[in-house]
Structures are given as structure tokens and as C-alpha cells.
Amino acid sequence: MDEQAMHQYIVETFAGVETATNFGYTFYFYRDDHMLPFATMIAADTEYDRVSNLDRPGVYRLNVGVSKQTFQRLFGTDEPRAEEYTFTALDRLMPHPEYAAQSFLCVLSPSSATFGQLQPLLAEAYDLAVKRYYRRHPKA
């Protein structure tokens, strides 16, 4: 699945999604609560992020913020050891190289099969963002 198709899936599947672009990232938020994105996407190396070698043709990284329980179920711990992962590997669910402690996972250029694994993870991340929004805005 290419970057544009992934973007379209996120904004068309989940109601109330707003995006912002900064530092080469596209941030996905629920409504106007731009405090913490439920997902981000980046398609090129920046001065702040070179760990995934994103300057390769067609390569992008999707980052998804899931619950601590889901993160632990996927990776066995909430603080996986970075040396256990090759952050340039395509089509592999991995802890985020910088934000694993915040329960963010990542995947570079997911295939259709991996996209099937990502769909419930994106839905969970979105649901967490919606709940967080209504905790912060109880009268909304």
C-alpha cells in the first residue's frame, strides 16, 4: 500500500480526522485536539529522523499509538530493546524507534497482508484519541 492510499484510508475511514503537516510528518488527530496524534506518517529523512532510511524510493513509515496492553502483547514488553530491530526493514511491525515508551509502533511501506494487521491497530489508536478528546472536552 503506498503512502497516498494509506493517507486516504485514514482520513476516509475515521470520522472527524484532522491532519497537520510539520517537520516532514503528517499528523493525524481526532477533531481539533492537536495535542497528541493517533498516527503519523513520514516519507523522507529529516534532520531529526534518519533511522529508517526513508529516502529510498516509495518508502514511508506509518507510526501508530496503541494502548500499552496492545503494545506489550505485540512486542512482549513496553520497552523493547532497539538492537533487536532493524528499523530500515520494510513491511514489519516494530516498536517505534523513538516513541516506543509511549506505545507507538511503526511499519515501513506495509504490504496488503500487513495492512490487514494495521487496520485494527489504527482503529484502536483512533478510539483512544476519541476517548481522550471527550475527557478533555466533556461538553463537546
Side-chain angles (χ1 to χ4, degrees), residues 64-113:
V64 181
V66 294
S67 70
K68 185 174 185 172
Q69 294 80 9
T70 296
F71 191 89
Q72 289 174 338
R73 178 179 52 80
L74 290 169
F75 305 113
T77 178
D78 56 350
E79 293 188 33
R81 295 168 15 135
E83 59 270 10
E84 295 176 13
Y85 296 91
T86 303
F87 292 109
T88 57
L90 302 178
D91 194 33
R92 181 178 177 210
L93 284 176
M94 300 177 279
H96 189 280
E98 297 291 329
Y99 297 107
Q102 288 81 24
S103 301
F104 266 78
L105 59 88
C106 69
V107 62
L108 276 64
S109 302
S111 66
S112 296

